[in-house]
Amino acid sequence: MLPLGLLNASAGQPMMVELKSGESYNGHLVNCDNWMNINLKDVICTSADGDRFWKISEAYIRGSVIKYLRIPEEVLDKVKEKSANNSSNNNERTSQRGGRGGQRGGRRGGSSRN
Amino acid sequence: MDQKDNKKSQNAKRGGRGGGRGGGRGGLHSQKKEAILDLAKYLNKKINVKFSGGREVVGVLKGYDPLQNLVLDECEEFLKIRDEENNTTQEESSRKLGLIVCRSTAIILLCPIDGMEEIDNPFVQKSE
């Protein structure tokens, strides 16, 4: 399971994002990209000291400033489904161009036996 | 000139692969994936932008580019005083900046002012 795979599968889910500055953002994930830039909606922002709170309709957060994200457990099931689909797709793909990988493995095994 | 020629010959040696890769990446990421945020909907609206380093401004979005550099008009910076003892920041005052260009790489947070308000702790009731 890849971090960005998990994040991609969490679209629409509620999550908590803490920034390196200590501020945290609770909201529903709208969108994310390969840099972990994320788009949240219906956000509650908490200041770094935890004393002040803001309601924000939507927020765009740069991926490089994120410390961590808390994601609901249910997403795991979705990811498993997705990754199962992907791996079956991948298998098809590798079998198409597969000769290469297979041969390599075979040769390697052979030489080690010799 | 010499440098240029060197570069060229290097490129020629390992050329095909590097060129192909670069092209592919540019196509996939910078074009399609870049726009997870549609800034068009914020045009001529007031937005709040936080920068790396701690500065924060509010301004009217007048323009943007594919890299998400922004043009903000009637921009106002909210200055913060950092209290190192208590480890807190407080908004003290603001100053007018007027028309500015924000560099995309410095932007860490972007949100519309419309619908933004300070609220009481919303997590208290949940935990009780």
Side-chain angles (χ1 to χ4, degrees), chain A residues 3-19 23-33 36-46 59 61 66 68-76 78-79, chain B residues 123 126:
Chain A
L4 282 169
L6 186 65
L7 198 57
N8 272 316
S10 332
Q13 298 285 334
M15 60 179 56
M16 187 264 235
V17 183
E18 183 163 324
L19 306 192
E23 291 168 317
S24 64
Y25 291 82
N26 288 268
H28 289 74
L29 182 68
V30 176
N31 216 337
C32 68
D33 65 16
M36 213 183 275
N37 298 330
I38 60 171
N39 223 338
L40 295 176
K41 69 171 180 183
D42 303 327
V43 188
I44 292 171
C45 167
T46 308
I61 300 171
I66 294 173
Y68 63 84
L69 308 103
R70 296 186 61 192
I71 296 173
E73 296 272 344
E74 301 90 80
V75 178
L76 277 177
K78 284 192 180 179
V79 171
Chain B
F123 301 110
K126 282 182 188 172

Side-chain angles (χ1 to χ4, degrees), chain B residues 41-111:
Chain B
K41 63 183 174 186
Y42 297 145
L43 273 176
N44 295 313
K45 301 249 164 49
K46 263 197 167 186
I47 57 171
N48 185 5
V49 179
K50 282 187 188 175
F51 294 103
S52 61
R55 286 182 196 264
E56 182 172 353
V57 302
V58 169
V60 179
L61 182 66
K62 285 294 176 186
Y64 59 92
D65 63 17
L67 293 174
Q68 291 188 352
N69 298 310
L70 310 178
V71 178
L72 297 181
D73 200 4
E74 302 163 34
C75 202
E76 195 172 354
E77 176 184 355
F78 290 89
L79 299 158
K80 292 178 176 178
I81 303 284
R82 180 141 184 92
D83 184 349
E84 291 296 340
E85 268 182 36
N86 297 323
N87 216 18
T88 56
T89 52
Q90 289 205 322
E91 279 169 32
E92 279 291 306
S93 61
S94 68
R95 63 171 181 151
K96 296 258 193 301
L97 297 177
L99 183 66
I100 68 165
V101 173
C102 304
R103 181 162 166 83
S104 62
T105 54
I107 297 171
I108 65 169
L109 187 108
L110 199 158
C111 62

